[in-house]
Amino acid sequence: MAGGAGLAKRLGTLLSGLLECGAFCGIIFGWASLVFVLKDLGYFEGLCQPSATPSPNFTLGSDCSGQDEQFSLVFTIGSFMNNFMTFPMGVVFDRFGTTAARLIAISLYAGGTLLVAFSTPEMAVMLFPAMSMLSVGGILLILTNMQVGNLFGNYRSIIITLYNGAFDSSSAIFLIVKLLYEHGLSLRAMFLFLAACSAWHLLRTLFLMPRSRIPYPLPPDYDYGLRCRGRSRSYRTHKDKQPPGEAGPEETPLEPIARVSTYTNAFAFTQLCGVLCAPWNGLILDRHKRGKGPRPEGILAALADLRSAVLSLVVTVALCLLFSVFAAVPVLPAQFGTFVLQVISRSFLYGGNAAFLAIAFPPQHFGKLYGLAMALSALVALLQYPCVALVQGPLQGDPFYMNLGLIAVVLVAFVSPVVVARECQRRAKELGMAGTPLAAPPGTEIHAETPH
């Protein structure tokens, strides 16, 4: 790659992006661990009311359901902003490029960490804007990182899903915060450190990221970073987010504090495995690119990419269904299996969503389409808070029937791979009947049509 970005630079971009996604982008989804710390510090403690009988909550003899609902509301709003604001941020990214988008992301992230650092139990409401800023900043960082897959050609889907897995694993950062807090570090010191990491994000923006976008296919002499002019014209990229009803194990305390801490730690530790699970879906999506046989080109290559997504969609929906079934089992130890399935299904869901959009649609619209998908998921995520209220109220703390309803909703998702498979058959038939050339001239970008 004479005159362009060498392998060392591209690997540096890949690995630094993996670190960025794995340590910063999705930390709000480790909210369960941070809530444990915030409760110990007395955030929203004024909402606890005296109880006539001892309760299995953090304050013996007190009813702290109001405190739990307030923490649930913080998380619901934060996760909603994570998904909903992806659409306008995607428009900003498509319109103004990588540098502008990352500067916005860094500003939001630094502001969010500083708000948490200087918050107090008396000013607990600062958690609302803080978590929203961390969510939006994190999702915008990963949105700009997904284009790194374009630097590695046939491994593009694997890298996209790998980054999404790292995004999932970043939720374990709040577990580290919890463990360090238990060993004497203050919440303020830890969040000031996270704020200081914004300098690293800025340096990476200047030296290891393009000014606009990374093109696909990659030109032989393509280079990027501070010393070169941005020549990117298009890119294909990224994955949220989270299955409805995932409110964190601390939302409905079922056991005394030491048992709660055990399950909180188990849930957070499983999140670390997201980065290991996500590439599995990428292997499924890129499976037709491996082997010694001739590879399809032009229109047939786009069709082969779309066909590979069918199996990915089937496996993803099956994993989500299995996760929902495990969550409905009213046996507490069985929830360890739920934690594992949650990580795997979420990795497949968001990584597969990003890769599918990169395959099926023109790259110059990726940011808007990905943002629109996440915005729609944000509307569904808004149901988390009323679902928690419904379980704690009319259902008297029993989520069984709620889980059955969610299983029924997941079953509807099997329509998606059927629709894509039929679209592949229709296009293959049209190509055969019309006598369309099997290959396009070198350098021609041909994208799959939008499946309907």
Side-chain angles (χ1 to χ4, degrees):
M1 188 171 286
L7 179 60
K9 184 175 183 179
R10 288 183 288 137
L11 286 177
T13 302
L14 171 65
L15 296 177
S16 62
L18 190 63
L19 175 61
E20 186 171 82
C21 294
F24 301 97
C25 292
I27 64 174
I28 188 176
F29 295 100
W31 179 244
S33 299
L34 186 61
V35 163
F36 197 92
V37 175
L38 297 174
K39 283 189 173 183
D40 188 67
L41 291 172
Y43 282 66
F44 299 120
E45 194 173 45
L47 297 176
C48 293
Q49 301 295 329
S51 177
T53 57
S55 64
N57 209 318
F58 287 93
T59 305
L60 193 62
S62 297
D63 177 12
C64 290
S65 59
Q67 182 190 35
D68 292 333
E69 289 182 3
Q70 198 72 358
F71 281 122
S72 176
L73 184 60
V74 173
F75 176 74
T76 299
I77 294 176
S79 59
F80 169 79
M81 295 296 290
N82 178 275
N83 295 341
F84 185 77
M85 289 301 295
T86 307
F87 177 66
M89 292 297 101
V91 173
V92 170
F93 178 44
D94 286 342
R95 175 65 180 84
F96 299 104
T98 302
T99 299
R102 285 182 63 85
L103 290 177
I104 295 173
I106 293 169
S107 300
L108 288 171
Y109 201 92
T113 51
L114 289 174
L115 283 177
V116 177
F118 292 103
S119 67
T120 63
E122 293 74 24
M123 293 293 293
V125 291
M126 294 173 66
L127 294 176
F128 286 95
M131 290 301 113
S132 296
M133 293 170 73
L134 287 176
S135 294
V136 178
I139 199 67
L140 191 49
L141 282 176
I142 193 174
L143 183 62
T144 61
N145 272 308
M146 288 305 99
Q147 61 184 314
V148 173
N150 294 348
L151 295 172
F152 296 90
N154 292 335
Y155 302 98
R156 184 170 57 126
S157 294
I158 295 175
I159 292 173
I160 289 175
T161 54
L162 180 65
Y163 273 28
N164 279 269
F167 177 90
D168 293 339
S169 295
S170 66
S171 59
I173 294 298
F174 280 167
L175 170 63
I176 297 175
V177 170
K178 173 180 178 288
L179 296 176
L180 293 177
Y181 172 80
E182 292 174 341
H183 284 80
L185 267 70
S186 69
L187 185 68
R188 175 169 296 181
M190 289 183 281
F191 273 85
L192 285 176
F193 173 78
L194 289 175
C197 291
S198 298
W200 181 76
H201 299 312
L202 182 60
L203 290 175
R204 188 169 179 272
T205 300
L206 296 176
F207 294 101
L208 290 177
M209 295 297 288
R211 180 172 296 179
S212 56
R213 287 178 295 274
I214 300 174
Y216 184 83
L218 198 68
D221 59 346
Y222 178 75
D223 201 358
Y224 56 94
L226 188 62
R227 295 184 179 179
C228 60
R229 297 180 179 178
R231 297 183 298 176
S232 315
R233 292 177 291 104
S234 65
Y235 88 116
R236 301 182 180 182
T237 61
H238 182 236
K239 138 318 158 240
D240 265 125
K241 124 172 312 251
Q242 83 172 29
E246 179 189 329
E250 87 293 344
E251 302 286 352
T252 53
L254 299 176
E255 299 290 336
I257 184 170
R259 191 73 177 274
V260 170
S261 181
T262 299
Y263 278 82
T264 300
N265 290 346
F267 175 77
F269 274 120
T270 56
Q271 307 307 301
L272 289 169
C273 299
V275 70
L276 302 177
C277 301
W280 301 347
N281 202 7
L283 291 172
I284 294 175
L285 288 164
D286 286 341
R287 67 187 186 280
H288 63 289
K289 298 178 181 179
R290 297 186 294 273
K292 299 181 180 179
R295 296 171 184 168
E297 297 180 356
I299 296 177
L300 288 185
L303 181 58
D305 287 344
L306 198 59
R307 279 176 171 167
S308 71
V310 176
L311 178 59
S312 171
L313 291 171
V314 171
V315 174
T316 299
V317 178
L319 285 170
C320 291
L321 178 62
L322 192 59
F323 159 69
S324 300
V325 170
F326 264 71
V329 176
V331 178
L332 195 57
Q335 299 314 303
F336 288 113
T338 305
F339 297 162
V340 174
L341 286 168
Q342 185 266 343
V343 172
I344 299 175
S345 62
R346 193 173 73 178
S347 298
F348 269 69
L349 180 62
Y350 290 99
N353 171 54
F356 178 78
L357 292 176
I359 288 170
F361 299 94
Q364 62 268 29
H365 301 300
F366 176 84
K368 293 182 285 290
L369 292 171
Y370 178 72
L372 180 61
M374 297 299 286
L376 292 175
S377 70
L379 297 178
V380 177
L382 282 179
L383 298 175
Q384 292 178 101
Y385 186 71
C387 283
V388 171
L390 180 61
V391 170
Q392 293 182 343
L395 295 181
Q396 299 179 347
D398 185 3
F400 181 73
Y401 293 104
M402 178 68 68
N403 288 330
L404 287 183
L406 294 176
I407 290 174
V409 173
V410 172
L411 286 171
V412 179
F414 277 108
V415 173
S416 179
V418 173
V419 171
V420 176
R422 292 185 62 182
E423 175 66 15
C424 289
Q425 292 177 352
R426 183 190 68 80
R427 292 190 59 222
K429 184 180 296 186
E430 286 184 353
L431 289 173
M433 294 174 61
T436 304
L438 299 184
T444 302
E445 289 190 23
I446 301 180
H447 306 288
E449 296 179 359
T450 304
H452 299 285

